Amino acid sequence: MRCSIKFARILPITIFFLLLIHLTYQAKKQKTSVVNDIEDIKSFKKLLRTKTNILFLFVNNQKAAKTVTNVFKDTAEAMKGQATSVLIDCSNGESKKLCKKLKIDPEVSYVLKHYKDGEYNKDYDRSETVSSMSNFLRDPTGDLPWDEAPDATDIYHLQDFDALSKFLRKGAAAYRRSLIMFYAPWCGYCKMMKPDYAQAATELKGEALLAAIDVAKPGNAKIRQLYNITGFPTLLYFEKGLYRFPYGGENKRAAIVEFLRDPNAQTQKKKEAAKDESWPQDSDVLHLNGDNFNSELAKAEHALVIFYAPWCGHCKNIKPEFEKAAAAIKQDKINGVLAAVDATKFSELAAQYGVKAFPTLKYFSRGEYKFDAGHARKEKQIIEFIKDPQEPPPPPPPEKPWSEEPSQVRHLNENNFRSSLRKIKHGIVMFYAPWCGHCKSAKPEFTRAAEAFADELAVAFAAVDCTAAATLCQNYNVMGYPTFKYISYYDKSISDYNGGRKEEDFVSFIKKQMGISASSVPIIADEADMYDEYYHY
């Protein structure tokens, strides 16, 4: 009787622990994202038909491949939902026959092969790290990211605003001189400059720091705004982590090295080149320097100060307006002065007041900085400003993303592009960039056209922001903005739309497609699997 009671007490505890072990095992089993049940050619081909982005790890020697296998599994977890990872043990049973059929060299310890849209793409040849493998799977046909290039290891590759801030606070602050290249991966001039920049970084190792950051990357827009980046590449020079002035030399190794070994030489060269264009010191404009800046401005109730560079084209345009306004202010005895600072000579003053571009106009009262006054560029505007200094209205708030505006336009990305268009008979997709002027012009016309088909469930007007979905746009060979594509899942077709960009043009085009018989629409594929080739990501 006692044994029965004791057993009855132990049994629930035993069951509990067995259940706990089972659940733990299942959790671990479910945690891995690696497919490892592909053992024959039939299951291999089936996988190629159903998945569009697959990385295979074929292993002949598990001991030698232990490190890469762990990296492979971590990558699979990181890329869950974006790619498929398959591990095949070539030393085991049926899998061994599969590896032989696929001509996997039995002498190598392991090999990584990538398949895209059902076809072999290439052997994986990048660094065997989670970061590199993930970057590759996000864009398997793209160029090698600059931060992975073997000849660019001496460049500090910065990913985002936080990394840039940390670099300036810690890395660059420890060095007297540093240079940062703000670039875009698609920029031709950037690509041409990269080898020289990398060589300069190697040559200057221990003397100066050279960094680079992709400011075309989604999320880095505020960096462009902060440093007034309007073209690529833009190179800015820093001393002990503090911004000094833009680099204006040649985009060649020798010029970059020469500049960083003597940054003042650039200023001197530009000063000599612009010697005849410097502001005449005997004009009615008050010329300030480090010695008289505070004392002179302390005397003036109203002072408009222009920070300029002699070589700057916009500065040359404003100079005669500034001089005429200064003469008129003096003649009419208006209470105020116009002053100028050559920011290439007195860079400390420019840095003190946060000057990042030329010309920059700032308003002072009794020596105290009040606000920027960049809106006063013409003689009349300058005079009116000095008579009644008013802070310009704040810039308009950032434009609301198109995707947040209520409309019938469907906003797509890599995750929902394929599923959103799967049942669409007739659709036009607009690939755009938020900053593109032609896109802004087409947007209201496209939006109104979408409204015209609001009740047609099989018709879609969709938009893709290429600054946020770069890979998707590359897959559709988008070379400029806006690019329009006509897509029909019903007829398995995809083609360029080259019609007009007015509301009536879009509406007329779709109505015409709706009235054409299926047989007269160009057929690109007969099977859904082939259609997937065009809707890959």
Side-chain angles (χ1 to χ4, degrees):
M1 185 68 179
R2 289 178 182 175
C3 290
S4 299
I5 294 171
K6 189 174 183 181
F7 180 75
R9 290 175 179 174
I10 294 173
L11 184 60
I13 298 173
T14 305
I15 293 172
F16 172 76
F17 277 108
L18 287 173
L19 181 61
L20 183 63
I21 292 170
H22 174 73
L23 292 174
T24 303
Y25 171 76
Q26 290 297 324
K28 287 183 177 179
K29 187 177 178 182
Q30 291 173 8
K31 186 177 180 181
T32 179
S33 299
V34 177
V35 176
N36 53 18
D37 59 351
I38 304 299
E39 296 182 342
D40 54 42
I41 196 68
K42 185 178 179 181
S43 55
F44 177 82
K45 288 183 176 179
K46 182 180 178 181
L47 187 69
L48 294 187
R49 288 196 303 271
T50 57
K51 302 296 181 181
T52 60
N53 186 12
I54 314 172
L55 186 63
F56 288 91
L57 173 59
F58 298 92
V59 176
N60 286 310
N61 185 327
Q62 290 192 21
K63 185 176 181 181
K66 183 177 180 181
T67 301
V68 72
T69 300
N70 291 334
V71 171
F72 185 76
K73 290 179 178 178
D74 289 342
T75 303
E77 189 65 29
M79 294 302 293
K80 187 188 295 184
Q82 300 178 60
T84 303
S85 303
V86 183
L87 176 61
I88 297 178
D89 182 1
C90 295
S91 64
N92 184 29
E94 290 297 318
S95 297
K96 190 173 184 178
K97 295 179 183 178
L98 173 62
C99 294
K100 187 175 181 180
K101 192 174 280 286
L102 295 175
K103 298 180 179 179
I104 303 300
D105 185 356
E107 299 300 319
V108 299
S109 299
Y110 62 88
V111 63
L112 287 150
K113 291 181 176 290
H114 183 262
Y115 284 74
K116 181 173 172 57
D117 303 318
E119 299 289 339
Y120 168 73
N121 176 33
K122 61 181 292 188
D123 280 15
Y124 179 79
D125 56 359
R126 298 188 187 176
S127 299
E128 293 173 355
T129 64
V130 174
S131 175
S132 294
M133 284 189 185
S134 298
N135 284 338
F136 171 78
L137 287 170
R138 290 188 188 100
D139 188 10
T141 58
D143 295 333
L144 180 72
W146 197 16
D147 56 353
E148 293 184 33
D151 63 346
T153 54
D154 293 321
I155 296 172
Y156 285 76
H157 295 278
L158 311 174
Q159 299 301 320
D160 50 30
F161 181 80
D162 290 340
L164 173 62
S165 300
K166 184 177 179 181
F167 172 79
L168 293 176
R169 286 196 318 270
K170 296 183 178 179
Y175 277 73
R176 184 180 174 189
R177 298 165 185 162
S178 57
L179 193 66
I180 301 179
M181 176 177 171
F182 300 82
Y183 73 96
W186 43 260
C187 159
Y189 291 110
C190 304
K191 292 178 181 179
M192 291 171 61
M193 185 180 181
K194 282 179 179 179
D196 286 275
Y197 196 73
Q199 291 166 17
T202 300
E203 189 169 340
L204 290 164
K205 201 170 183 178
E207 297 181 56
L209 298 182
L210 276 76
I213 184 166
D214 174 5
V215 287
K217 184 186 296 183
N220 283 350
K222 65 179 180 180
I223 298 175
R224 295 199 304 272
Q225 296 171 355
L226 179 64
Y227 290 104
N228 193 32
I229 308 297
T230 57
F232 306 115
T234 291
L235 287 88
L236 302 182
Y237 170 62
F238 294 77
E239 285 187 358
K240 294 186 177 181
L242 298 176
Y243 171 68
R244 292 296 306 282
F245 49 80
Y247 169 75
E250 291 184 81
N251 294 346
K252 298 295 182 183
R253 177 200 60 78
I256 296 170
V257 171
E258 180 185 1
F259 166 77
L260 282 171
R261 284 180 174 158
D262 186 8
N264 292 324
Q266 173 180 288
T267 303
Q268 184 62 29
K269 285 180 180 178
K270 287 185 174 178
K271 185 172 71 172
E272 291 174 359
K275 192 172 289 183
D276 296 332
E277 300 173 7
S278 295
W279 232 316
Q281 298 295 310
D282 58 351
S283 73
D284 293 311
V285 175
L286 177 63
H287 290 271
L288 305 175
N289 55 46
D291 295 328
N292 68 356
F293 186 89
N294 293 326
S295 58
E296 290 293 338
L297 290 184
K299 303 174 187 175
E301 184 176 353
H302 304 301
L304 184 60
V305 181
I306 178 172
F307 293 81
Y308 73 96
W311 43 264
C312 158
H314 293 296
C315 304
K316 293 175 185 177
N317 292 334
I318 198 175
K319 184 174 75 171
E321 302 291 332
F322 219 67
E323 287 183 333
K324 287 186 288 185
I329 289 169
K330 182 178 180 180
Q331 181 178 332
D332 296 342
K333 298 181 179 180
I334 298 171
N335 181 21
V337 298
L338 301 185
V341 176
D342 183 345
T344 63
K345 283 183 180 179
F346 310 107
S347 53
E348 294 82 2
L349 281 176
Q352 180 182 345
Y353 289 99
V355 176
K356 296 184 176 68
F358 306 124
T360 292
L361 288 89
K362 293 180 179 286
Y363 170 65
F364 292 77
S365 178
R366 298 298 180 190
E368 183 181 351
Y369 164 71
K370 295 297 184 180
F371 52 80
D372 280 15
H375 60 296
R377 294 291 183 103
K378 297 295 183 180
E379 177 189 358
K380 186 177 179 181
Q381 293 174 328
I382 296 168
I383 294 171
E384 291 301 318
F385 176 82
I386 285 294
K387 286 180 178 178
D388 182 22
Q390 295 293 327
E391 186 171 4
E399 190 175 339
K400 181 186 291 187
W402 190 8
S403 59
E404 294 181 13
E405 297 178 12
S407 77
Q408 294 298 323
V409 176
R410 304 184 188 187
H411 293 274
L412 309 179
N413 53 41
E414 283 96 340
N415 296 325
N416 66 1
F417 187 88
R418 193 171 169 182
S419 57
S420 296
L421 298 178
R422 184 165 287 283
K423 294 184 180 180
I424 296 303
K425 290 183 179 180
H426 307 290
I428 300 179
V429 181
M430 175 177 167
F431 296 87
Y432 73 100
W435 45 260
C436 159
H438 293 298
C439 303
K440 291 179 180 178
S441 298
K443 186 176 112 180
E445 304 288 340
F446 194 75
T447 301
R448 286 194 293 270
E451 298 290 343
F453 294 95
D455 297 328
E456 295 285 348
L457 298 180
V459 174
F461 280 72
V464 176
D465 178 355
C466 289
T467 64
T471 302
L472 181 61
C473 295
Q474 288 172 4
N475 287 341
Y476 280 90
N477 298 316
V478 175
M479 305 299 289
Y481 306 123
T483 290
F484 296 90
K485 299 275 184 181
Y486 168 67
I487 293 180
S488 173
Y489 172 74
Y490 180 79
D491 295 306
K492 317 295 188 295
S493 68
I494 174 172
S495 57
D496 290 337
Y497 168 84
N498 296 313
R501 297 179 180 178
K502 296 294 184 182
E503 175 189 355
E504 56 269 23
D505 297 319
F506 295 123
V507 171
S508 175
F509 175 82
I510 290 295
K511 284 185 176 179
K512 184 178 178 182
Q513 300 305 313
M514 294 172 72
I516 292 178
S517 63
S519 60
S520 62
V521 177
I523 303 298
I524 292 182
D526 294 323
E527 297 178 6
D529 287 343
M530 290 298 292
Y531 181 71
D532 286 344
E533 180 179 344
Y534 293 91
Y535 277 4
H536 60 269
Y537 53 89

